[in-house]
Amino acid sequence: GKQGVLTPSRIQTLRDLGVDLERKKDYVPNRCMAWEDRLQQLRDYKEEHGNCQIPINHPTLGNFVKCTRKQYLAYERQQRQLQEQQQQENGDGTNRGNSENNIGDSAIAVTKFPEKHVKPLSEERIRQLNEIGFVFNTLSNRKGAGRHLQP
């Protein structure tokens, strides 16, 4: 939702109602959790639900899942750009580079997440997520076959 500024009169009204408006010293916003903590949350979710098909409206992991998928798409976009650059440098339109870098056709519509300023997910994080069974491709989930993607 839209964030606004509380006026002094509204702050006083809230305090009169007994609302504690002081930020706790040990408070960590959900979006600022450490990577390892998120991985543990994913492991816990998988243990409880038997999979890592987390809905984006999940109260603690939803935003993380959405952002992680966007970062993976940024990684894919980066890999495609590198591949295209290598092909142009070869001059003949063929890629003589390492074929393992070929990410293939992911079936994820890149236009679904058009953000261009998203930091790509690292290969190490992709590996960690794959070990847990994280599902990057939500389109294949709808067909009943979630796909784990490799860097």
Side-chain angles (χ1 to χ4, degrees):
K2 186 176 176 181
Q3 288 187 345
V5 178
L6 285 175
T7 63
S9 64
R10 286 187 178 177
I11 291 172
Q12 188 58 50
T13 302
L14 289 169
R15 285 189 176 139
D16 291 344
L17 291 170
V19 176
D20 182 8
L21 298 175
E22 300 304 316
R23 182 168 279 184
K24 307 297 182 217
K25 289 181 183 177
D26 59 346
Y27 171 75
V28 177
N30 198 24
R31 68 182 183 280
C32 297
M33 290 184 73
W35 175 254
E36 291 300 322
D37 294 335
R38 288 294 187 196
L39 287 178
Q40 188 56 51
Q41 285 183 328
L42 285 171
R43 288 181 192 104
D44 294 345
Y45 182 94
K46 183 175 182 178
E47 186 174 319
E48 181 179 340
H49 299 279
N51 63 54
C52 282
Q53 298 174 2
I54 298 130
I56 59 171
N57 63 351
H58 187 274
T60 55
L61 287 170
N63 195 48
F64 171 75
V65 166
K66 182 178 171 182
C67 292
T68 300
R69 288 179 179 142
K70 285 181 185 181
Q71 289 177 317
Y72 186 80
L73 289 175
Y75 168 82
E76 282 191 319
R77 186 173 21 263
Q78 181 184 58
Q79 294 302 305
R80 269 194 297 279
Q81 289 170 348
L82 289 171
Q83 219 172 28
E84 290 169 4
Q85 183 180 4
Q86 286 175 348
Q87 288 174 351
Q88 288 175 356
E89 289 172 2
N90 290 340
D92 61 359
T94 61
N95 185 353
R96 293 188 175 113
N98 184 348
S99 63
E100 290 181 302
N101 287 337
N102 183 358
I103 57 170
D105 183 13
S106 70
I108 299 176
V110 174
T111 57
K112 184 174 180 180
F113 299 114
E115 295 84 353
K116 294 184 180 184
H117 303 293
V118 174
K119 183 179 176 183
L121 199 59
S122 72
E123 290 185 5
E124 173 60 19
R125 288 187 173 185
I126 292 169
R127 184 191 63 72
Q128 290 173 322
L129 290 165
N130 276 325
E131 283 178 1
I132 296 170
F134 183 79
V135 178
F136 291 92
N137 184 343
T138 59
L139 294 179
S140 64
N141 288 347
R142 293 185 189 126
K143 297 174 187 170
R147 197 166 107 199
H148 310 288
L149 304 175
Q150 299 296 322

